[in-house]
Amino acid sequence: MKPKEFLKAFVEDCKYYDLEKKEIKTILNNINIKGKTILDIGTGVGRLSFPLSEYAKEVIALDSDKRLKDYFKEHRKRNIKFVNQSLEKFLRKKKKFDVILLAWPTINFKFIKLVKKAMNRNTKFVFITCYNNSDFETIIGKLDTKKDFDKDIENKSKFIENLLKKFKVIVEKKINTNYIYPNEKIAFRAIKNAMILWFNIKFNKRLEKKLIKIIKKHKKSNKIIFGEKIYFYILTLK
């Protein structure tokens, strides 16, 4: 995807997800972030960074993807600093944070050791990821693209297992949220672009017809609704 297409697809993917703001509310209900410093690892387009900045002292929105630079230039905010670096390079500064977010990451086992470097005894580490069997996550399997995600699923399970060994769990929740699209046309465009964005799917007429059928099965009161199940953890150092 070209940078502009990438940003457009990314923003739209976030636009229709978790309209009730359950992830944000769960963070705010369990952590007092007023006046605190936050590190948002893999911030993307700042889906969590921007709303949390309303309460925090400072948010470091960290992402290594250069295509995100223009988005943060356009959406400047006084207490949000976009840093276009890898986590490993950024943490050479040895700075500590009050709250660290790792939401919907590509699994990298190095993150466990790296996140510890940015924590002190009072730091709250928030980890959020999706179930693999929720409505939205199974779209790609229903498209029958022959992609094999068994290894990714195994890695995610091992990563969570390691988190629970290396950190102390103070909050563990399972959240049910949704992608809600106003109509079939928007759902088709947004989901198709999300499949291209995240899974590099090459669409043809056959796959497009399959996606249309999948979307129709999720029509409720003229809206298109796909359920999304979330693992939510707040952890501290042991």
Side-chain angles (χ1 to χ4, degrees), residues 60-103:
I60 301 298
L62 182 72
D63 207 295
S64 59
D65 196 318
K66 293 180 180 179
R67 294 173 293 182
L68 295 164
K69 277 184 177 180
D70 289 342
Y71 183 84
F72 279 89
K73 280 181 183 177
E74 187 179 340
H75 297 83
R76 280 197 187 98
K77 198 157 186 270
R78 179 188 55 79
N79 64 336
I80 295 181
K81 182 181 178 183
F82 176 66
V83 179
N84 193 203
Q85 288 181 355
S86 68
L87 178 61
E88 195 164 13
K89 186 174 181 181
F90 175 71
L91 290 181
R92 288 174 189 166
K93 298 175 184 177
K94 298 181 180 179
K95 189 174 179 180
K96 306 289 184 182
F97 292 86
D98 299 313
V99 180
I100 297 174
L101 305 178
L102 184 61

mmCIF file of all heavy atoms in Angstrom, residues 60-103:
data_model
loop_
_atom_site.group_PDB
_atom_site.id
_atom_site.type_symbol
_atom_site.label_atom_id
_atom_site.label_comp_id
_atom_site.label_asym_id
_atom_site.label_seq_id
_atom_site.Cartn_x
_atom_site.Cartn_y
_atom_site.Cartn_z
ATOM 1 N N ILE A 60 4.089 9.271 25.114
ATOM 2 C CA ILE A 60 5.057 8.987 24.051
ATOM 3 C C ILE A 60 4.421 7.951 23.147
ATOM 4 O O ILE A 60 4.183 6.812 23.551
ATOM 5 C CB ILE A 60 6.392 8.446 24.613
ATOM 6 C CG1 ILE A 60 7.023 9.453 25.572
ATOM 7 C CG2 ILE A 60 7.349 8.105 23.458
ATOM 8 C CD1 ILE A 60 7.392 10.789 24.951
ATOM 9 N N ALA A 61 4.094 8.372 21.921
ATOM 10 C CA ALA A 61 3.469 7.488 20.934
ATOM 11 C C ALA A 61 4.589 6.918 20.074
ATOM 12 O O ALA A 61 5.132 7.589 19.202
ATOM 13 C CB ALA A 61 2.470 8.277 20.089
ATOM 14 N N LEU A 62 4.942 5.669 20.340
ATOM 15 C CA LEU A 62 6.117 5.041 19.729
ATOM 16 C C LEU A 62 5.717 4.086 18.616
ATOM 17 O O LEU A 62 4.887 3.203 18.824
ATOM 18 C CB LEU A 62 6.911 4.290 20.799
ATOM 19 C CG LEU A 62 8.202 3.601 20.366
ATOM 20 C CD1 LEU A 62 9.292 4.628 20.085
ATOM 21 C CD2 LEU A 62 8.669 2.622 21.448
ATOM 22 N N ASP A 63 6.293 4.273 17.432
ATOM 23 C CA ASP A 63 6.050 3.344 16.333
ATOM 24 C C ASP A 63 7.188 3.453 15.327
ATOM 25 O O ASP A 63 7.640 4.553 15.005
ATOM 26 C CB ASP A 63 4.719 3.627 15.639
ATOM 27 C CG ASP A 63 4.136 2.381 14.996
ATOM 28 O OD1 ASP A 63 4.767 1.860 14.055
ATOM 29 O OD2 ASP A 63 3.070 1.927 15.432
ATOM 30 N N SER A 64 7.646 2.316 14.838
ATOM 31 C CA SER A 64 8.782 2.308 13.907
ATOM 32 C C SER A 64 8.368 2.507 12.451
ATOM 33 O O SER A 64 9.228 2.671 11.589
ATOM 34 C CB SER A 64 9.552 0.985 14.035
ATOM 35 O OG SER A 64 8.705 -0.108 13.747
ATOM 36 N N ASP A 65 7.057 2.504 12.163
ATOM 37 C CA ASP A 65 6.587 2.650 10.782
ATOM 38 C C ASP A 65 6.650 4.113 10.343
ATOM 39 O O ASP A 65 5.940 4.965 10.883
ATOM 40 C CB ASP A 65 5.150 2.125 10.663
ATOM 41 C CG ASP A 65 4.740 1.879 9.217
ATOM 42 O OD1 ASP A 65 5.071 2.711 8.346
ATOM 43 O OD2 ASP A 65 4.093 0.846 8.947
ATOM 44 N N LYS A 66 7.486 4.397 9.351
ATOM 45 C CA LYS A 66 7.700 5.776 8.898
ATOM 46 C C LYS A 66 6.461 6.396 8.263
ATOM 47 O O LYS A 66 6.326 7.617 8.199
ATOM 48 C CB LYS A 66 8.864 5.822 7.914
ATOM 49 C CG LYS A 66 10.203 5.494 8.550
ATOM 50 C CD LYS A 66 11.331 5.540 7.534
ATOM 51 C CE LYS A 66 12.672 5.206 8.209
ATOM 52 N NZ LYS A 66 13.788 5.215 7.243
ATOM 53 N N ARG A 67 5.543 5.548 7.791
ATOM 54 C CA ARG A 67 4.339 6.062 7.130
ATOM 55 C C ARG A 67 3.411 6.782 8.096
ATOM 56 O O ARG A 67 2.474 7.478 7.674
ATOM 57 C CB ARG A 67 3.597 4.909 6.440
ATOM 58 C CG ARG A 67 4.359 4.298 5.277
ATOM 59 C CD ARG A 67 3.666 3.062 4.738
ATOM 60 N NE ARG A 67 3.673 1.964 5.702
ATOM 61 C CZ ARG A 67 3.175 0.759 5.465
ATOM 62 N NH1 ARG A 67 2.603 0.497 4.286
ATOM 63 N NH2 ARG A 67 3.223 -0.188 6.381
ATOM 64 N N LEU A 68 3.649 6.644 9.404
ATOM 65 C CA LEU A 68 2.788 7.275 10.399
ATOM 66 C C LEU A 68 3.205 8.699 10.735
ATOM 67 O O LEU A 68 2.460 9.434 11.392
ATOM 68 C CB LEU A 68 2.787 6.435 11.678
ATOM 69 C CG LEU A 68 2.167 5.046 11.532
ATOM 70 C CD1 LEU A 68 2.566 4.163 12.697
ATOM 71 C CD2 LEU A 68 0.652 5.129 11.422
ATOM 72 N N LYS A 69 4.380 9.107 10.295
ATOM 73 C CA LYS A 69 4.894 10.448 10.618
ATOM 74 C C LYS A 69 3.922 11.544 10.219
ATOM 75 O O LYS A 69 3.626 12.460 10.994
ATOM 76 C CB LYS A 69 6.235 10.684 9.904
ATOM 77 C CG LYS A 69 7.437 10.114 10.597
ATOM 78 C CD LYS A 69 8.692 10.519 9.824
ATOM 79 C CE LYS A 69 9.941 10.044 10.522
ATOM 80 N NZ LYS A 69 11.166 10.440 9.773
ATOM 81 N N ASP A 70 3.439 11.476 8.994
ATOM 82 C CA ASP A 70 2.561 12.529 8.475
ATOM 83 C C ASP A 70 1.269 12.634 9.273
ATOM 84 O O ASP A 70 0.729 13.723 9.471
ATOM 85 C CB ASP A 70 2.239 12.281 6.995
ATOM 86 C CG ASP A 70 3.438 12.526 6.093
ATOM 87 O OD1 ASP A 70 4.391 13.198 6.540
ATOM 88 O OD2 ASP A 70 3.426 12.044 4.947
ATOM 89 N N TYR A 71 0.768 11.492 9.730
ATOM 90 C CA TYR A 71 -0.477 11.513 10.504
ATOM 91 C C TYR A 71 -0.287 12.307 11.799
ATOM 92 O O TYR A 71 -1.130 13.144 12.161
ATOM 93 C CB TYR A 71 -0.922 10.088 10.821
ATOM 94 C CG TYR A 71 -2.238 10.039 11.559
ATOM 95 C CD1 TYR A 71 -3.440 10.087 10.867
ATOM 96 C CD2 TYR A 71 -2.279 9.985 12.959
ATOM 97 C CE1 TYR A 71 -4.653 10.069 11.537
ATOM 98 C CE2 TYR A 71 -3.485 9.965 13.635
ATOM 99 C CZ TYR A 71 -4.669 10.007 12.919
ATOM 100 O OH TYR A 71 -5.861 10.002 13.596
ATOM 101 N N PHE A 72 0.809 12.059 12.497
ATOM 102 C CA PHE A 72 1.038 12.756 13.761
ATOM 103 C C PHE A 72 1.431 14.219 13.553
ATOM 104 O O PHE A 72 1.180 15.052 14.425
ATOM 105 C CB PHE A 72 2.077 12.002 14.604
ATOM 106 C CG PHE A 72 1.484 10.838 15.339
ATOM 107 C CD1 PHE A 72 1.427 9.583 14.752
ATOM 108 C CD2 PHE A 72 0.954 10.991 16.605
ATOM 109 C CE1 PHE A 72 0.858 8.501 15.417
ATOM 110 C CE2 PHE A 72 0.380 9.920 17.288
ATOM 111 C CZ PHE A 72 0.330 8.674 16.688
ATOM 112 N N LYS A 73 2.007 14.537 12.417
ATOM 113 C CA LYS A 73 2.260 15.949 12.089
ATOM 114 C C LYS A 73 0.946 16.696 11.912
ATOM 115 O O LYS A 73 0.781 17.831 12.335
ATOM 116 C CB LYS A 73 3.091 16.047 10.806
ATOM 117 C CG LYS A 73 4.576 15.818 10.997
ATOM 118 C CD LYS A 73 5.316 15.970 9.678
ATOM 119 C CE LYS A 73 6.800 15.674 9.856
ATOM 120 N NZ LYS A 73 7.519 15.748 8.554
ATOM 121 N N GLU A 74 0.013 16.029 11.256
ATOM 122 C CA GLU A 74 -1.294 16.635 10.974
ATOM 123 C C GLU A 74 -2.164 16.726 12.228
ATOM 124 O O GLU A 74 -2.992 17.629 12.353
ATOM 125 C CB GLU A 74 -2.022 15.813 9.908
ATOM 126 C CG GLU A 74 -3.309 16.444 9.411
ATOM 127 C CD GLU A 74 -3.989 15.615 8.337
ATOM 128 O OE1 GLU A 74 -3.310 14.775 7.706
ATOM 129 O OE2 GLU A 74 -5.202 15.803 8.140
ATOM 130 N N HIS A 75 -1.972 15.789 13.152
ATOM 131 C CA HIS A 75 -2.800 15.743 14.357
ATOM 132 C C HIS A 75 -1.961 16.036 15.600
ATOM 133 O O HIS A 75 -2.008 15.319 16.599
ATOM 134 C CB HIS A 75 -3.475 14.369 14.485
ATOM 135 C CG HIS A 75 -4.412 14.058 13.375
ATOM 136 N ND1 HIS A 75 -3.979 13.553 12.159
ATOM 137 C CD2 HIS A 75 -5.756 14.193 13.270
ATOM 138 C CE1 HIS A 75 -5.022 13.385 11.367
ATOM 139 N NE2 HIS A 75 -6.104 13.760 12.003
ATOM 140 N N ARG A 76 -1.189 17.101 15.528
ATOM 141 C CA ARG A 76 -0.323 17.476 16.657
ATOM 142 C C ARG A 76 -1.140 17.771 17.900
ATOM 143 O O ARG A 76 -2.198 18.377 17.850
ATOM 144 C CB ARG A 76 0.482 18.725 16.297
ATOM 145 C CG ARG A 76 1.687 18.456 15.429
ATOM 146 C CD ARG A 76 2.629 19.656 15.475
ATOM 147 N NE ARG A 76 3.712 19.505 14.533
ATOM 148 C CZ ARG A 76 3.755 20.047 13.327
ATOM 149 N NH1 ARG A 76 2.724 20.784 12.927
ATOM 150 N NH2 ARG A 76 4.782 19.884 12.532
ATOM 151 N N LYS A 77 -0.577 17.347 19.031
ATOM 152 C CA LYS A 77 -1.188 17.654 20.327
ATOM 153 C C LYS A 77 -0.066 17.939 21.309
ATOM 154 O O LYS A 77 0.972 17.267 21.289
ATOM 155 C CB LYS A 77 -2.039 16.468 20.802
ATOM 156 C CG LYS A 77 -3.023 16.834 21.885
ATOM 157 C CD LYS A 77 -4.185 15.859 21.923
ATOM 158 C CE LYS A 77 -5.222 16.333 22.919
ATOM 159 N NZ LYS A 77 -5.003 15.812 24.252
ATOM 160 N N ARG A 78 -0.290 18.921 22.143
ATOM 161 C CA ARG A 78 0.767 19.432 23.011
ATOM 162 C C ARG A 78 1.458 18.341 23.823
ATOM 163 O O ARG A 78 2.685 18.319 23.927
ATOM 164 C CB ARG A 78 0.175 20.493 23.960
ATOM 165 C CG ARG A 78 1.177 21.096 24.948
ATOM 166 C CD ARG A 78 0.470 21.964 25.961
ATOM 167 N NE ARG A 78 -0.579 21.235 26.653
ATOM 168 C CZ ARG A 78 -0.366 20.387 27.647
ATOM 169 N NH1 ARG A 78 0.868 20.135 28.059
ATOM 170 N NH2 ARG A 78 -1.378 19.771 28.241
ATOM 171 N N ASN A 79 0.695 17.431 24.415
ATOM 172 C CA ASN A 79 1.306 16.457 25.324
ATOM 173 C C ASN A 79 1.454 15.062 24.708
ATOM 174 O O ASN A 79 1.601 14.082 25.430
ATOM 175 C CB ASN A 79 0.531 16.385 26.640
ATOM 176 C CG ASN A 79 -0.888 15.869 26.457
ATOM 177 O OD1 ASN A 79 -1.458 15.975 25.368
ATOM 178 N ND2 ASN A 79 -1.458 15.314 27.506
ATOM 179 N N ILE A 80 1.390 14.979 23.362
ATOM 180 C CA ILE A 80 1.695 13.721 22.682
ATOM 181 C C ILE A 80 2.949 13.919 21.833
ATOM 182 O O ILE A 80 3.004 14.811 20.994
ATOM 183 C CB ILE A 80 0.542 13.253 21.765
ATOM 184 C CG1 ILE A 80 -0.695 12.914 22.589
ATOM 185 C CG2 ILE A 80 0.969 12.012 20.966
ATOM 186 C CD1 ILE A 80 -1.863 12.426 21.764
ATOM 187 N N LYS A 81 3.932 13.067 22.075
ATOM 188 C CA LYS A 81 5.161 13.126 21.290
ATOM 189 C C LYS A 81 5.288 11.831 20.491
ATOM 190 O O LYS A 81 5.386 10.751 21.057
ATOM 191 C CB LYS A 81 6.380 13.294 22.205
ATOM 192 C CG LYS A 81 7.696 13.399 21.438
ATOM 193 C CD LYS A 81 8.877 13.535 22.393
ATOM 194 C CE LYS A 81 10.195 13.603 21.626
ATOM 195 N NZ LYS A 81 11.359 13.661 22.552
ATOM 196 N N PHE A 82 5.250 11.964 19.156
ATOM 197 C CA PHE A 82 5.419 10.788 18.310
ATOM 198 C C PHE A 82 6.904 10.514 18.120
ATOM 199 O O PHE A 82 7.673 11.397 17.731
ATOM 200 C CB PHE A 82 4.762 11.011 16.947
ATOM 201 C CG PHE A 82 4.983 9.870 15.981
ATOM 202 C CD1 PHE A 82 4.441 8.625 16.228
ATOM 203 C CD2 PHE A 82 5.749 10.054 14.838
ATOM 204 C CE1 PHE A 82 4.651 7.568 15.348
ATOM 205 C CE2 PHE A 82 5.964 9.007 13.948
ATOM 206 C CZ PHE A 82 5.412 7.756 14.206
ATOM 207 N N VAL A 83 7.319 9.292 18.418
ATOM 208 C CA VAL A 83 8.715 8.890 18.252
ATOM 209 C C VAL A 83 8.761 7.762 17.230
ATOM 210 O O VAL A 83 8.192 6.691 17.448
ATOM 211 C CB VAL A 83 9.336 8.428 19.590
ATOM 212 C CG1 VAL A 83 10.785 7.993 19.366
ATOM 213 C CG2 VAL A 83 9.276 9.548 20.621
ATOM 214 N N ASN A 84 9.448 8.007 16.132
ATOM 215 C CA ASN A 84 9.505 7.054 15.022
ATOM 216 C C ASN A 84 10.759 6.175 15.150
ATOM 217 O O ASN A 84 11.724 6.314 14.415
ATOM 218 C CB ASN A 84 9.504 7.826 13.705
ATOM 219 C CG ASN A 84 9.238 6.956 12.498
ATOM 220 O OD1 ASN A 84 9.601 7.307 11.389
ATOM 221 N ND2 ASN A 84 8.610 5.812 12.683
ATOM 222 N N GLN A 85 10.704 5.265 16.144
ATOM 223 C CA GLN A 85 11.833 4.380 16.423
ATOM 224 C C GLN A 85 11.328 3.004 16.848
ATOM 225 O O GLN A 85 10.168 2.845 17.234
ATOM 226 C CB GLN A 85 12.688 4.949 17.568
ATOM 227 C CG GLN A 85 13.512 6.160 17.217
ATOM 228 C CD GLN A 85 14.348 6.631 18.401
ATOM 229 O OE1 GLN A 85 14.238 6.111 19.506
ATOM 230 N NE2 GLN A 85 15.194 7.619 18.157
ATOM 231 N N SER A 86 12.228 2.052 16.831
ATOM 232 C CA SER A 86 11.916 0.746 17.414
ATOM 233 C C SER A 86 11.977 0.873 18.929
ATOM 234 O O SER A 86 12.624 1.777 19.473
ATOM 235 C CB SER A 86 12.931 -0.296 16.947
ATOM 236 O OG SER A 86 14.209 -0.018 17.515
ATOM 237 N N LEU A 87 11.310 -0.030 19.627
ATOM 238 C CA LEU A 87 11.327 -0.024 21.089
ATOM 239 C C LEU A 87 12.752 -0.206 21.598
ATOM 240 O O LEU A 87 13.178 0.466 22.542
ATOM 241 C CB LEU A 87 10.428 -1.141 21.622
ATOM 242 C CG LEU A 87 10.377 -1.312 23.135
ATOM 243 C CD1 LEU A 87 9.852 -0.058 23.807
ATOM 244 C CD2 LEU A 87 9.510 -2.526 23.512
ATOM 245 N N GLU A 88 13.507 -1.086 20.970
ATOM 246 C CA GLU A 88 14.872 -1.372 21.399
ATOM 247 C C GLU A 88 15.746 -0.123 21.347
ATOM 248 O O GLU A 88 16.473 0.193 22.290
ATOM 249 C CB GLU A 88 15.465 -2.471 20.511
ATOM 250 C CG GLU A 88 16.720 -3.095 21.066
ATOM 251 C CD GLU A 88 17.072 -4.410 20.381
ATOM 252 O OE1 GLU A 88 16.483 -4.721 19.321
ATOM 253 O OE2 GLU A 88 17.934 -5.108 20.911
ATOM 254 N N LYS A 89 15.646 0.627 20.254
ATOM 255 C CA LYS A 89 16.455 1.843 20.099
ATOM 256 C C LYS A 89 15.992 2.919 21.067
ATOM 257 O O LYS A 89 16.809 3.600 21.699
ATOM 258 C CB LYS A 89 16.364 2.352 18.665
ATOM 259 C CG LYS A 89 17.283 3.526 18.377
ATOM 260 C CD LYS A 89 17.254 3.904 16.895
ATOM 261 C CE LYS A 89 18.195 5.065 16.623
ATOM 262 N NZ LYS A 89 18.168 5.456 15.181
ATOM 263 N N PHE A 90 14.684 3.076 21.206
ATOM 264 C CA PHE A 90 14.142 4.122 22.082
ATOM 265 C C PHE A 90 14.568 3.919 23.530
ATOM 266 O O PHE A 90 14.882 4.879 24.242
ATOM 267 C CB PHE A 90 12.616 4.134 21.981
ATOM 268 C CG PHE A 90 11.951 5.091 22.928
ATOM 269 C CD1 PHE A 90 12.036 6.462 22.723
ATOM 270 C CD2 PHE A 90 11.263 4.618 24.037
ATOM 271 C CE1 PHE A 90 11.435 7.346 23.608
ATOM 272 C CE2 PHE A 90 10.666 5.495 24.920
ATOM 273 C CZ PHE A 90 10.746 6.869 24.703
ATOM 274 N N LEU A 91 14.605 2.679 23.982
ATOM 275 C CA LEU A 91 14.888 2.402 25.391
ATOM 276 C C LEU A 91 16.366 2.510 25.754
ATOM 277 O O LEU A 91 16.743 2.316 26.906
ATOM 278 C CB LEU A 91 14.346 1.028 25.780
ATOM 279 C CG LEU A 91 12.812 0.944 25.844
ATOM 280 C CD1 LEU A 91 12.369 -0.441 26.265
ATOM 281 C CD2 LEU A 91 12.242 1.983 26.801
ATOM 282 N N ARG A 92 17.208 2.844 24.781
ATOM 283 C CA ARG A 92 18.612 3.123 25.098
ATOM 284 C C ARG A 92 18.730 4.351 25.993
ATOM 285 O O ARG A 92 19.734 4.548 26.673
ATOM 286 C CB ARG A 92 19.413 3.331 23.812
ATOM 287 C CG ARG A 92 19.635 2.044 23.017
ATOM 288 C CD ARG A 92 20.295 2.304 21.692
ATOM 289 N NE ARG A 92 20.321 1.098 20.859
ATOM 290 C CZ ARG A 92 20.595 1.081 19.569
ATOM 291 N NH1 ARG A 92 20.905 2.217 18.943
ATOM 292 N NH2 ARG A 92 20.580 -0.049 18.888
ATOM 293 N N LYS A 93 17.691 5.193 25.978
ATOM 294 C CA LYS A 93 17.686 6.400 26.825
ATOM 295 C C LYS A 93 17.439 6.067 28.288
ATOM 296 O O LYS A 93 17.584 6.915 29.164
ATOM 297 C CB LYS A 93 16.601 7.364 26.336
ATOM 298 C CG LYS A 93 16.815 7.868 24.924
ATOM 299 C CD LYS A 93 15.637 8.715 24.476
ATOM 300 C CE LYS A 93 15.797 9.148 23.029
ATOM 301 N NZ LYS A 93 14.624 9.926 22.540
ATOM 302 N N LYS A 94 17.015 4.829 28.554
ATOM 303 C CA LYS A 94 16.805 4.329 29.915
ATOM 304 C C LYS A 94 15.786 5.151 30.704
ATOM 305 O O LYS A 94 15.906 5.339 31.915
ATOM 306 C CB LYS A 94 18.132 4.266 30.675
ATOM 307 C CG LYS A 94 19.138 3.318 30.043
ATOM 308 C CD LYS A 94 20.422 3.246 30.826
ATOM 309 C CE LYS A 94 21.406 2.286 30.167
ATOM 310 N NZ LYS A 94 22.689 2.209 30.885
ATOM 311 N N LYS A 95 14.757 5.633 30.013
ATOM 312 C CA LYS A 95 13.704 6.393 30.682
ATOM 313 C C LYS A 95 12.654 5.458 31.259
ATOM 314 O O LYS A 95 12.364 4.408 30.688
ATOM 315 C CB LYS A 95 13.051 7.351 29.680
ATOM 316 C CG LYS A 95 12.090 8.341 30.319
ATOM 317 C CD LYS A 95 11.589 9.360 29.306
ATOM 318 C CE LYS A 95 10.613 10.314 29.978
ATOM 319 N NZ LYS A 95 10.097 11.334 29.030
ATOM 320 N N LYS A 96 12.080 5.844 32.399
ATOM 321 C CA LYS A 96 11.037 5.055 33.048
ATOM 322 C C LYS A 96 9.680 5.744 32.853
ATOM 323 O O LYS A 96 9.598 6.968 32.763
ATOM 324 C CB LYS A 96 11.311 4.909 34.551
ATOM 325 C CG LYS A 96 12.681 4.368 34.896
ATOM 326 C CD LYS A 96 12.831 2.899 34.550
ATOM 327 C CE LYS A 96 14.180 2.360 34.982
ATOM 328 N NZ LYS A 96 14.390 0.948 34.618
ATOM 329 N N PHE A 97 8.604 4.929 32.822
ATOM 330 C CA PHE A 97 7.265 5.459 32.604
ATOM 331 C C PHE A 97 6.310 4.979 33.685
ATOM 332 O O PHE A 97 6.494 3.918 34.281
ATOM 333 C CB PHE A 97 6.748 5.032 31.229
ATOM 334 C CG PHE A 97 7.496 5.669 30.096
ATOM 335 C CD1 PHE A 97 8.662 5.096 29.603
ATOM 336 C CD2 PHE A 97 7.070 6.868 29.543
ATOM 337 C CE1 PHE A 97 9.375 5.682 28.576
ATOM 338 C CE2 PHE A 97 7.770 7.467 28.513
ATOM 339 C CZ PHE A 97 8.927 6.878 28.029
ATOM 340 N N ASP A 98 5.271 5.785 33.926
ATOM 341 C CA ASP A 98 4.253 5.407 34.912
ATOM 342 C C ASP A 98 3.334 4.318 34.372
ATOM 343 O O ASP A 98 2.895 3.439 35.112
ATOM 344 C CB ASP A 98 3.405 6.630 35.299
ATOM 345 C CG ASP A 98 4.229 7.731 35.919
ATOM 346 O OD1 ASP A 98 5.037 7.418 36.812
ATOM 347 O OD2 ASP A 98 4.073 8.891 35.512
ATOM 348 N N VAL A 99 3.014 4.422 33.064
ATOM 349 C CA VAL A 99 2.126 3.454 32.414
ATOM 350 C C VAL A 99 2.726 3.073 31.063
ATOM 351 O O VAL A 99 3.193 3.948 30.324
ATOM 352 C CB VAL A 99 0.708 4.039 32.200
ATOM 353 C CG1 VAL A 99 -0.205 3.013 31.512
ATOM 354 C CG2 VAL A 99 0.096 4.484 33.525
ATOM 355 N N ILE A 100 2.717 1.793 30.764
ATOM 356 C CA ILE A 100 3.197 1.305 29.460
ATOM 357 C C ILE A 100 2.070 0.517 28.804
ATOM 358 O O ILE A 100 1.462 -0.356 29.426
ATOM 359 C CB ILE A 100 4.440 0.408 29.612
ATOM 360 C CG1 ILE A 100 5.593 1.221 30.204
ATOM 361 C CG2 ILE A 100 4.848 -0.180 28.263
ATOM 362 C CD1 ILE A 100 6.829 0.412 30.534
ATOM 363 N N LEU A 101 1.777 0.856 27.554
ATOM 364 C CA LEU A 101 0.740 0.170 26.787
ATOM 365 C C LEU A 101 1.376 -0.681 25.699
ATOM 366 O O LEU A 101 2.247 -0.208 24.967
ATOM 367 C CB LEU A 101 -0.199 1.168 26.114
ATOM 368 C CG LEU A 101 -0.900 2.213 26.973
ATOM 369 C CD1 LEU A 101 -1.749 3.116 26.078
ATOM 370 C CD2 LEU A 101 -1.768 1.559 28.027
ATOM 371 N N LEU A 102 0.923 -1.902 25.599
ATOM 372 C CA LEU A 102 1.289 -2.781 24.485
ATOM 373 C C LEU A 102 -0.018 -3.397 24.002
ATOM 374 O O LEU A 102 -0.501 -4.385 24.544
ATOM 375 C CB LEU A 102 2.274 -3.862 24.935
ATOM 376 C CG LEU A 102 2.813 -4.797 23.844
ATOM 377 C CD1 LEU A 102 3.575 -4.023 22.774
ATOM 378 C CD2 LEU A 102 3.710 -5.874 24.438
ATOM 379 N N ALA A 103 -0.621 -2.740 23.008
ATOM 380 C CA ALA A 103 -1.961 -3.124 22.574
ATOM 381 C C ALA A 103 -1.949 -3.669 21.149
ATOM 382 O O ALA A 103 -1.428 -3.026 20.238
ATOM 383 C CB ALA A 103 -2.899 -1.919 22.662
#
